[in-house]
Amino acid sequence: MTTSAENHRHIPQLIPSRLLRGGQVHHPAVLGEARRRRDNFQLRLADRITAFAGSMNFVWIHAALFAVWMLVLEKNPWPTLTLVVSLEAIFLSTFVMIGQNRQSAFQQAKADHDFHAQELELKTNTELTREIHVLTEELHRRFIRPTSERDEAAAPG
């Protein structure tokens, strides 16, 4: 039986360096977006901050920092602490929006790729269906019609 920590390690990460160096097979659109993000310093930094801000380590570090701040650093911690937490919330919400934009770009790239692949498959299937129809008509013309013409000639009239 596996623990939730063991299961968590196997969840695929959308961090470009992990996607590109892993031996797993990924959608071509996802790999293209990962390459684009890998090549841009700002996007790499945003990915790393977002990955850290979405972890339990982030929560524990902040809980400890806030406790130390409230108990040790200030006699009246609330005004300064409120300012710091508000500023941090502004920055973190920006990184959340960056992450949402990243996810949207992945989804759009994948949808575009899937659309083109389905269109190509539909075109191929249509061409195959037309070819099968032509072959079927040719078979009917060569084998079935001559038999029915012979049957008509043999029938007493």
Side-chain angles (χ1 to χ4, degrees):
M1 174 146 199
T2 61
T3 64
S4 64
E6 290 172 342
N7 288 336
H8 180 71
R9 279 187 235 138
H10 298 294
I11 295 173
Q13 297 293 318
L14 294 180
I15 297 174
S17 60
R18 292 180 187 169
L19 281 172
L20 295 172
R21 74 174 172 225
Q24 297 176 341
V25 176
H26 295 285
H27 195 282
V30 173
L31 292 176
E33 181 65 17
R35 284 186 197 96
R36 185 183 74 81
R37 295 189 73 79
R38 178 195 62 192
D39 296 339
N40 186 319
F41 173 75
Q42 291 178 352
L43 296 176
R44 281 195 320 265
L45 180 62
D47 286 338
R48 289 184 180 145
I49 291 171
T50 304
F52 175 67
S55 70
M56 282 307 294
N57 288 336
F58 180 82
V59 173
W60 293 121
I61 289 170
H62 278 74
L65 286 174
F66 293 155
V68 167
W69 188 316
M70 289 185 289
L71 299 174
V72 177
L73 295 179
E74 292 190 35
K75 292 181 183 178
N76 189 8
W78 304 113
T80 309
L81 181 61
T82 302
L83 174 67
V84 169
V85 171
S86 296
L87 288 172
E88 183 180 39
I90 290 168
F91 283 106
L92 288 178
S93 65
T94 302
F95 288 114
V96 166
M97 287 187 285
I98 290 169
Q100 288 174 339
N101 289 340
R102 175 187 67 208
Q103 186 62 33
S104 176
F106 274 125
Q107 290 174 344
Q108 184 62 49
K110 185 177 182 307
D112 289 344
H113 178 273
D114 289 347
F115 175 76
H116 292 298
Q118 288 173 357
E119 285 296 308
L120 179 61
E121 187 175 337
L122 178 63
K123 181 181 175 186
T124 304
N125 285 345
T126 302
E127 289 172 2
L128 287 172
T129 302
R130 287 183 179 144
E131 290 296 321
I132 290 170
H133 181 71
V134 168
L135 290 172
T136 303
E137 285 182 338
E138 182 64 24
L139 286 172
H140 278 263
R141 188 182 65 77
R142 287 188 182 185
F143 296 110
I144 295 178
R145 286 191 187 143
T147 305
S148 57
E149 290 171 3
R150 283 190 301 243
D151 289 343
E152 288 174 9

